[in-house]
Amino acid sequence: MKVLISNLILFTSETRQIKKVESIKETMIYNLCLAFKNEGHDVTLLAAEDYKPTQNEEYPFNIIWAKSKYKKVFMPCVFPYCPETKKIAKDDYDLIISSEVISMSSLMLAKRAKDHTIIWQELSSHNKICNGLVSKFWYNIIAKIYFKDVVIVPRSNQAREFISQFCNKVVDETIDHGVNSEIFKPNTDKENFFAVCSRLVKLKHIDKTIKVFNKYIKKYDNDSKLYIIGDGDCEEKLKVLVNELQINNNVIFTGRLFHKEMVKILSKAKAMLIYTSRDNNMLSITESIALATPVITTTTPNQSTYIESEKLGIVNNEWNEDDLYEIFLNNDKYVNNCLEYSKTTPFEYKVNQFVNIYNKYIK
């Protein structure tokens, strides 16, 4: 098939000024496109030019870098407007996949190519910009008018429940984020440490994770380690906290790592630890499970539903040192559950899901 994947925002920006990166090859959407290519499809990625990497990269598929317009109103970090999408929608694609109903790109595609467009919906609640007024207007007016006949594929059960209030053709199937199976391979040989893999920013509450880990090593196992993989504005404060707790020998800050280096650590961890208070679908959760590494998390990430139901870890809004000990004691059980579930995490599996939905609802 000839496939267009529209995902203007390639990665999360903490500020309005989008941080430049050297490569996009570790982004989720790039690897989804790569999987479509490897499965024999002619794929094109549509992305906002604001996210173009600084180094010249060669890609095995076509990428259209669309220019953003009227950036003061349509900020590229949250709501880019790329008029070029209108022209692109007229091209002869068999299937178009566009991220989010609340998107100018999705709107243009829904108006001009609704018969062969799938909207891949991640958001499961109203956006809080302008006190939620923009989001409520979009979903209650725009979505009900222009997306009523467009196929919507949710990325979680929560996303399905939310978007079903506004759109008619929400499918029963769910497609979560995927991973590059050449890099993220399951490993059942775990060592005596836990890991955090996250941006070190306030909403991730890494400080709470460190405090719980401190109680764990004091109560259960003074030899255990905690690897903190990532960087961000809170990094220095977190290092001060570790110093104050006098657990410098137990906590290792690695900084931000590329996938191949990160996998060497996360694949051997007893569990990945998450204390976030604001996330939808976390790619790091899918990556952890793909490595057969259990997850301890709050209920905030949408994946918490299947982590709990499939026993891929522990879901508890106030998880503590006893939960870490539970994972330590019964690690083999949780790892084996993750190993079985990891069969569903490769992007090739996600591509087949999209193709099946195309055959069932569009073709």
Side-chain angles (χ1 to χ4, degrees):
M1 287 194 298
K2 187 177 180 181
V3 180
L4 173 70
I5 298 181
S6 174
N7 197 103
L8 299 184
I9 300 174
L10 292 185
F11 50 84
T12 302
S13 177
E14 297 297 334
T15 65
R16 293 186 180 185
Q17 187 67 36
I18 297 169
K19 185 179 179 180
K20 290 296 182 182
V21 297
E22 293 183 355
S23 173
I24 63 164
K25 291 187 176 181
E26 292 198 343
T27 61
M28 184 274 295
I29 209 67
Y30 174 88
N31 283 282
L32 175 62
C33 291
L34 185 61
F36 266 99
K37 173 70 167 55
N38 291 340
E39 292 294 298
H41 301 284
D42 178 7
V43 62
T44 296
L45 171 62
L46 173 62
E49 190 177 50
D50 310 78
Y51 295 86
K52 191 172 184 178
T54 55
Q55 70 177 27
N56 293 323
E57 293 187 304
E58 292 186 3
Y59 307 114
F61 51 83
N62 184 39
I63 298 184
I64 299 173
W65 297 104
K67 290 186 177 181
S68 302
K69 299 289 186 180
Y70 312 118
K71 295 185 181 183
K72 289 185 178 180
V73 176
F74 300 101
M75 294 181 291
C77 61
V78 290
F79 200 60
Y81 172 51
C82 301
E84 190 177 348
T85 306
K86 298 175 186 177
K87 179 181 177 182
I88 295 168
K90 297 178 181 178
D91 290 346
D92 188 25
Y93 290 102
D94 298 301
L95 171 63
I96 296 174
I97 301 171
S98 184
S99 291
E100 304 302 331
V101 166
I102 185 167
S103 156
M104 289 298 295
S105 176
S106 292
L107 175 60
M108 288 182 275
L109 293 168
K111 290 172 69 175
R112 291 164 176 81
K114 66 180 181 180
D115 292 337
H116 53 283
T117 293
I118 290 173
I119 306 298
W120 196 20
Q121 178 73 17
E122 178 179 4
L123 296 179
S124 55
S125 61
H126 284 293
N127 189 296
K128 295 181 180 180
I129 294 177
C130 297
N131 295 318
L133 295 177
V134 173
S135 179
K136 290 174 182 177
F137 169 78
W138 191 278
Y139 285 111
N140 283 290
I141 306 297
I142 301 297
K144 289 182 177 181
I145 295 174
Y146 295 107
F147 291 84
K148 63 180 181 179
D149 296 320
V150 180
V151 174
I152 313 291
V153 177
R155 304 191 199 192
S156 65
N157 291 330
Q158 295 92 326
R160 177 185 292 104
E161 292 174 7
F162 174 71
I163 200 61
S164 293
Q165 301 173 70
F166 315 104
C167 300
N168 298 327
K169 297 184 71 173
V170 182
V171 305
D172 293 332
E173 295 86 346
T174 298
I175 302 180
D176 190 10
H177 293 157
V179 299
N180 185 330
S181 58
E182 292 297 313
I183 297 174
F184 292 89
K185 298 178 181 180
N187 175 28
T188 58
D189 184 18
K190 306 301 182 182
E191 298 180 8
N192 189 22
F193 66 84
F194 299 90
V196 168
C197 188
S198 169
R199 290 174 290 125
L200 307 186
V201 295
K202 187 175 181 180
L203 65 89
K204 300 293 186 177
H205 300 293
I206 312 298
D207 57 329
K208 294 182 73 172
T209 297
I210 291 172
K211 290 174 183 177
V212 170
F213 178 73
N214 176 55
K215 291 180 180 179
Y216 171 76
I217 59 176
K218 297 290 194 295
K219 184 175 181 179
Y220 291 113
D221 184 4
N222 195 45
D223 292 327
S224 184
K225 308 287 185 185
L226 174 64
Y227 282 84
I228 299 179
I229 305 168
D231 58 13
D233 296 341
C234 294
E235 183 171 352
E236 291 307 314
K237 290 182 179 179
L238 295 174
K239 288 180 177 179
V240 169
L241 173 61
V242 167
N243 188 56
E244 290 174 348
L245 294 172
Q246 298 181 342
I247 54 174
N248 304 72
N249 293 332
N250 297 86
V251 180
I252 300 98
F253 289 87
T254 70
R256 183 176 179 272
L257 299 177
F258 289 111
H259 281 161
K260 290 183 178 180
E261 295 301 315
M262 179 265 283
V263 161
K264 293 177 182 179
I265 298 173
L266 188 57
S267 67
K268 296 178 182 178
K270 292 288 186 184
M272 184 176 73
L273 311 181
I274 298 172
Y275 236 125
T276 183
S277 62
R278 193 180 74 196
D279 271 294
N280 290 294
N281 284 41
M282 295 179 64
L283 181 56
S284 60
I285 287 179
T286 309
E287 292 171 344
S288 185
I289 293 169
L291 297 169
T293 297
V295 179
I296 300 180
T297 180
T298 61
T299 60
T300 298
N302 289 336
Q303 294 113 314
S304 64
T305 302
Y306 67 73
I307 290 172
E308 188 167 42
S309 64
E310 302 298 325
K311 295 180 172 52
L312 308 176
I314 293 173
V315 176
N316 182 350
N317 281 331
E318 296 295 333
W319 57 263
N320 58 31
E321 64 275 15
D322 298 328
D323 295 305
L324 295 185
Y325 192 55
E326 159 64 18
I327 288 286
F328 175 83
L329 288 178
N330 297 293
N331 201 241
D332 288 346
K333 177 186 74 173
Y334 291 107
V335 168
N336 287 331
N337 291 341
C338 290
L339 182 63
E340 182 63 27
Y341 198 86
S342 69
K343 297 173 184 177
T344 70
T345 60
F347 273 119
E348 291 79 9
Y349 186 93
K350 310 302 177 182
V351 168
N352 288 329
Q353 285 184 291
F354 276 117
V355 171
N356 289 338
I357 288 171
Y358 168 81
N359 289 332
K360 183 176 180 180
Y361 297 98
I362 295 177
K363 187 176 180 181

